[in-house]
Amino acid sequence: MENPTDTFRAAMRRHVTGVTVVTTRLDGRAWGMTVSAFTSVCLEPPTVLACLRRTTAAAAEILRTGRFGVSLLAEDQGEISRRCAAPGAPKFLDDVCGAAPTHSPVVDGAVVGFDCVLVRSAELGDHVALFGEVAAVVAGPTPGAHPLLYTDGDYLSLPPRTAA
């Protein structure tokens, strides 16, 4: 008989999602981790939701400081996603998070970044859900840039845009 956790994991791998990196400052340095659970919650006030494994250094630091960033990676940033997803590896991002105009670091070249103030958290299973009010939106450098997409264990690219 198949394990229900494995069945659920296999089913969720079929979901197409934008690749996001949740960031914080750890020991004064930019630190990030790739997350697959990220979405907007409401517009008034602008609020997002990100879910992180509860035992990570990032989750502990965000719960301690009450601040976090979210970067929606661009389609050419797969290496950053892989680095921030590597279990047990250091995830310092000083080389890809420049002088941010916001409190929380955001990834340079991302499609968009959000600087968030933690307004609520909820633990469920091995994860913590972070609800963040968006204090600032950092537009990416390339208007109309495609986001990095992920499904079934691999990255996807959208076809080039054509003029209408």
Side-chain angles (χ1 to χ4, degrees):
M1 184 165 155
E2 195 167 336
N3 179 329
T5 301
D6 293 339
T7 302
F8 180 70
R9 180 180 292 118
M12 291 307 298
R13 285 176 55 106
R14 303 300 308 267
H15 178 67
V16 177
T17 184
V19 179
T20 52
V21 170
V22 170
T23 53
T24 188
R25 294 207 183 275
L26 190 62
D27 298 327
R29 297 175 63 191
W31 176 275
M33 63 182 296
T34 303
V35 301
S36 57
F38 170 76
T39 192
S40 64
V41 175
C42 60
L43 294 175
E44 294 294 332
T47 305
V48 297
L49 165 70
C51 297
L52 283 71
R53 186 171 296 276
R54 190 172 55 198
T55 57
T56 63
E61 189 64 11
I62 291 166
L63 291 170
R64 186 185 75 75
T65 65
R67 298 295 296 240
F68 65 99
V70 180
S71 298
L72 176 57
L73 298 184
E75 64 185 342
D76 62 349
Q77 294 181 312
E79 184 278 324
I80 296 170
S81 170
R82 283 186 288 280
R83 180 176 13 157
C84 293
K91 296 170 179 61
F92 288 110
L93 297 175
D94 296 325
D95 61 324
V96 295
C97 290
T102 62
H103 180 275
S104 301
V106 293
V107 175
D108 292 337
V111 171
V112 67
F114 303 96
D115 181 14
C116 302
V117 176
L118 183 66
V119 293
R120 184 166 296 152
S121 65
E123 292 185 6
L124 183 62
D126 59 357
H127 278 65
V128 59
L130 306 171
F131 293 88
E133 185 172 332
V134 177
V137 176
V138 180
T142 310
H146 287 285
L148 181 62
L149 302 176
Y150 186 80
T151 188
D152 209 14
D154 202 1
Y155 298 112
L156 298 176
S157 292
L158 293 172
R161 291 190 168 104
T162 57

